[in-house]
Amino acid sequence: MKKGRLVTVLLVIIIAASVSALLFYRSIQQKRDGLSALEPSVSVPTTEEMLTIDLYFTDREGSRLALERREIPVGFIDALVRSAIESLLSGPEKKHLTKTIPEGVQIRSMFVKDGTAYVDFTSSIAANHVGGAWTELLTIYSIVNTLTENFAEIGKVQLLIDGRESETLAGHVDISRPLLGKVQLLAGGW
Amino acid sequence: MVLALIMSVVFSTVSIEADPLSVIQSKGMINSPFAVLKRAGNRLELGSIVSAFSLKTSMDFLGERLDLVGEKGSVRLMIDSPLILSKGAYEVLSTPMRTEGGNILVPTDFLTKALPALLGRSAAVDEKGSTVLLGEEGTGAFEGVDPEGLVRLAAFIDRDKLLPPEKKKLVPRGLKVVVIDPGHGGRDKGAKGGTGTQEKDLVLSISQKLRTMLEEDLGVKVVLTRTADYFVGLKERTAIANNNRAELFLSIHANAAFRRSVRGYETYYLSFSATDLESSQVALLENRSLGVEGEQGEEALLEAILWDMAQLEYINQSGELAARVQQNLVKNAGGRDRGVRQAPLAVLMGARMPATLVEVGFITNPEQEIKLNRETYQTRLARSLFEAVSDYNRSLIRGELRGR
Ligand SMILES: [Zn+2]
């Protein structure tokens, strides 16, 4: 009995150690530069490792994408992506930035396969979108840029609406195929 | 196997054949005594080009993707594709690269489209279509020796001035058919204003006003992609323009922003990205190597790529049109200039004519919403768009608008 319990405890420790090692490995694998890369901490391993990411919202004038730096818990890629998009859904903390995704939108499902992130949103992302070609572009690339700029594993993003590929989100911008990040939107140009 | 064929083409000796294309350049000659490019029908053998310009070649193991490397850069070609990819940019050949009788054949415009990227020098084909002129940018004269050994003096290269003969013969003429596309419609309501104004209604009204002006004052035939409140798909709208052989496509929209304060005009024309393009090429290859869908599937995919690329040929004129639209709106209707922009807009893809999409104001801005609902303001907007089209038409007749 006692021996069995000891083995269990040991197993738990080993698993915990390897999980945290794995998580740490993933964190340094992150493509963020030196500033935000996590430093190996000598301190208590119980504190949750955090990862710095840049979320893409838009400026007051709706002219360009604008960054907000956030910390999200380190995890596997699917969890990181979900966490990043959920941050986009809940909106910016900075007052002068604006949320790019309509209220009430939820992630139906998402996965990363062969360098492409497939993100499936509920139909309100299209139905409740305010419209306008540029505004539509901002919504699309706030998602695409957030994923392609923060995660080395993601080169392209395929947006899905209600489980299906869609021609556009609000009637203007083509989203029928996987999209590459467009950092230029930051500068307001294309 | 194809690789082997290429190699044999590359290393075969250059010989003078009937009606060859000679190459002369500003400093000395290429490959002594004189380089000639072999013709096969109205195409050129790629092997003779590779040899004349000392290019290096490498082909992927499937024998479908060919990279050419020159002194100053490299280009990528795909069998059965009209595209040349180079350093994040691309060019479209008049016909696809093909293999025939063991040779790879390219259209003549390969020279003007690929050589600058490979050699870092401008290239042009003379008016008779018999000589390729190579040189640095600038003016001057240079000497070359033709296959008969005669010294010939040729005017220096200004790529833009040395157009192929067909283009020079083009008699400029004005617009005959214009397609106006009132955005959205039916279940697709478009943007909505604070007091309930709907984009789809507004743009239809402006479109109808513009139609009358164009028909009465410019005497052109105008086709609307929708004439009432019903749904029309985006590809369908472009197809209407193509099928009517329209020489101009103008999609009219009203804008929306996340914040009510945003106002002004925006005019768009299509943006392309070489990387998106390359991925569609890869899709074609993947599809081919899987071989599941067979020839039909492949043709459909190629068709889709060509549809996406159709607007490329008119992109300069589209930019000119967009500039005129934006300028006239700001000048005649008054308001904030948010600029001419480029974006991957679905309705502009596939348009085989100069095409632009205009956002005539923000319906989400309370002041602009009120204005946009006024009959007189709508007429002013329509008049501004009319002026833009007339202005474009004048430039067209004067021959000021050049293709890509
Ligand atoms: Zn619209």
Side-chain angles (χ1 to χ4, degrees):
Chain A
M1 264 311 252
K2 259 193 176 170
K3 210 175 186 182
R5 198 191 276 165
L6 185 67
V7 170
T8 315
V9 169
L10 271 174
L11 263 176
V12 167
I13 290 170
I14 290 164
I15 289 166
S18 39
V19 165
S20 57
L22 182 65
L23 291 183
F24 176 63
Y25 168 71
R26 292 201 73 86
S27 76
I28 51 172
Q29 219 188 7
Q30 252 290 316
K31 72 172 171 193
R32 287 277 122 239
D33 53 21
L35 272 178
S36 52
L38 294 179
E39 284 168 17
S41 66
V42 211
S43 62
V44 245
T46 49
T47 54
E48 206 173 16
E49 297 269 19
M50 299 300 276
L51 184 72
T52 309
I53 60 163
D54 287 328
L55 298 173
Y56 287 75
F57 294 108
T58 154
D59 66 348
R60 197 183 295 273
E61 274 296 293
S63 298
R64 64 198 66 197
L65 292 175
L67 295 178
E68 181 170 296
R69 199 152 269 206
R70 287 278 180 89
E71 303 260 294
I72 59 169
V74 166
F76 292 105
I77 185 67
D78 285 19
L80 291 173
V81 168
R82 183 173 284 273
S83 163
I85 297 171
E86 268 159 8
S87 307
L88 289 179
L89 291 174
S90 59
E93 283 159 4
K94 289 180 187 165
K95 275 266 159 54
H96 63 279
L97 298 186
T98 307
K99 188 165 114 154
T100 55
I101 304 174
E103 289 298 331
V105 175
Q106 289 175 338
I107 308 169
R108 288 181 81 241
S109 69
M110 71 119 293
F111 59 94
V112 181
K113 188 176 168 257
D114 300 334
T116 301
Y118 295 79
V119 190
D120 183 10
F121 291 100
T122 51
S123 58
S124 52
I125 194 168
N128 295 347
H129 195 276
V130 61
W134 195 256
T135 310
E136 191 179 353
L137 214 51
L138 289 170
T139 302
I140 293 163
Y141 283 98
S142 79
I143 301 164
V144 175
N145 272 12
T146 295
L147 300 189
T148 54
E149 290 301 302
N150 287 298
F151 308 112
E153 297 91 332
I154 299 173
K156 288 183 205 170
V157 179
Q158 171 75 61
L159 298 175
L160 302 167
I161 301 172
D162 241 353
R164 272 181 298 201
E165 284 177 11
S166 180
E167 195 175 22
T168 70
L169 198 68
H172 314 96
V173 181
D174 177 38
I175 55 161
S176 60
R177 64 195 118 196
L179 303 169
L180 293 155
K182 292 266 192 280
V183 194
Q184 295 95 311
L185 263 186
L186 275 173
W190 180 254
Chain B
M1 196 194 60
V2 184
L3 181 65
L5 289 173
I6 289 200
M7 298 312 272
S8 69
V9 173
V10 170
F11 295 116
S12 68
T13 50
V14 179
S15 65
I16 298 161
E17 294 203 339
D19 192 28
L21 194 63
S22 345
V23 181
I24 49 184
Q25 62 170 349
S26 55
K27 287 171 193 161
M29 292 173 295
I30 299 169
N31 287 7
S32 185
F34 200 84
V36 288
L37 308 178
K38 290 196 218 167
R39 285 188 197 275
N42 52 6
R43 294 168 198 245
L44 298 168
E45 286 182 11
L46 186 63
S48 68
I49 299 174
V50 165
S51 168
F53 300 105
S54 312
L55 306 175
K56 291 191 183 76
T57 62
S58 73
M59 195 154 220
D60 70 323
F61 71 101
L62 286 171
E64 287 171 326
R65 198 169 60 201
L66 175 67
D67 289 330
L68 298 178
V69 185
E71 254 172 71
K72 288 284 157 60
S74 63
V75 299
R76 171 165 292 177
L77 297 157
M78 318 277 243
I79 299 287
D80 295 336
S81 161
L83 301 166
I84 309 175
L85 302 169
S86 162
K87 276 184 283 177
Y90 57 89
E91 294 276 0
V92 183
L93 296 172
S94 56
T95 57
M97 175 171 86
R98 296 240 187 264
T99 47
E100 218 172 271
N103 288 319
I104 293 180
L105 305 179
V106 292
T108 312
D109 62 350
F110 173 87
L111 299 168
T112 52
K113 288 172 174 168
L115 289 183
L118 289 164
L119 307 173
R121 318 171 63 177
S122 60
V125 178
D126 76 342
E127 286 177 46
K128 282 176 271 170
S130 62
T131 311
V132 186
L133 310 166
L134 275 184
E136 281 81 20
E137 297 291 335
T139 50
F142 65 95
E143 277 181 12
V145 185
D146 77 7
E148 282 84 41
L150 298 167
V151 176
R152 174 159 55 182
L153 203 69
F156 212 80
I157 311 301
D158 177 352
R159 225 174 124 210
D160 292 336
K161 282 180 190 152
L162 263 160
L163 294 172
E166 328 88 68
K167 279 199 178 164
K168 280 213 162 172
K169 275 184 214 141
L170 265 182
V171 182
R173 53 166 213 150
L175 296 170
K176 285 194 176 137
V177 185
V178 169
V179 167
I180 301 172
D181 173 45
H184 311 277
R187 61 183 145 93
D188 175 11
K189 297 183 179 68
K192 216 174 83 179
T195 62
T197 312
Q198 289 192 331
E199 179 185 359
K200 62 173 184 173
D201 302 329
L202 203 67
V203 297
L204 180 61
S205 172
I206 297 169
S207 298
Q208 280 161 338
K209 287 179 167 58
L210 176 59
R211 169 200 212 149
T212 312
M213 290 173 192
L214 286 170
E215 280 174 346
E216 288 176 1
D217 302 346
L218 206 62
V220 296
K221 182 187 167 192
V222 177
V223 179
L224 292 190
T225 55
R226 70 178 174 95
T227 51
D229 184 18
Y230 50 83
F231 180 82
V232 185
L234 295 174
K235 284 204 167 75
E236 212 179 314
R237 292 165 192 258
T238 324
I240 290 171
N242 290 346
N243 295 342
N244 279 287
R245 294 181 192 280
E247 293 123 340
L248 196 148
F249 180 81
L250 179 57
S251 186
I252 302 179
H253 288 249
N255 223 337
F258 299 120
R259 292 190 189 227
R260 285 149 50 101
S261 57
V262 182
R263 53 188 301 159
Y265 306 110
E266 288 170 358
T267 310
Y268 290 88
Y269 64 108
L270 193 60
S271 70
F272 294 91
S273 99
T275 27
D276 287 347
L277 192 76
E278 197 160 15
S279 64
S280 53
Q281 291 268 12
V282 170
L284 184 66
L285 285 183
E286 280 170 357
N287 182 74
R288 193 175 287 176
S289 59
L290 287 173
V292 186
E293 288 175 73
E295 255 178 53
Q296 255 187 330
E298 184 180 306
E299 253 167 47
L301 196 55
L302 188 61
E303 223 166 77
I305 293 169
L306 291 177
W307 173 272
D308 290 350
M309 298 311 303
Q311 178 58 203
L312 185 64
E313 214 179 307
Y314 307 93
I315 206 68
N316 284 352
Q317 288 106 318
S318 296
E320 296 278 348
L321 176 63
R324 284 164 175 79
V325 167
Q326 182 72 7
Q327 198 186 318
N328 275 284
L329 277 173
V330 174
K331 195 177 72 189
N332 301 327
R336 198 165 296 174
D337 183 0
R338 285 175 60 91
V340 171
R341 302 172 178 215
Q342 275 185 278
L345 303 180
V347 79
L348 301 181
M349 292 171 180
R352 301 193 158 276
M353 76 252 358
T356 178
L357 182 149
V358 59
E359 298 270 16
V360 296
F362 283 82
I363 208 173
T364 44
N365 176 269
E367 274 174 61
Q368 275 206 295
E369 187 189 3
I370 294 168
K371 268 173 99 176
L372 283 165
N373 272 311
R374 279 194 206 124
E375 193 78 16
T376 49
Y377 187 67
Q378 287 181 12
T379 305
R380 219 157 103 195
L381 288 172
R383 183 53 66 181
S384 307
L385 296 175
F386 168 82
E387 290 300 339
V389 176
S390 321
D391 188 6
Y392 180 85
N393 189 44
R394 274 192 297 277
S395 302
L396 200 64
I397 292 166
R398 283 197 217 114
E400 293 167 358
L401 301 169
R402 242 198 342 252
R404 188 181 138 79

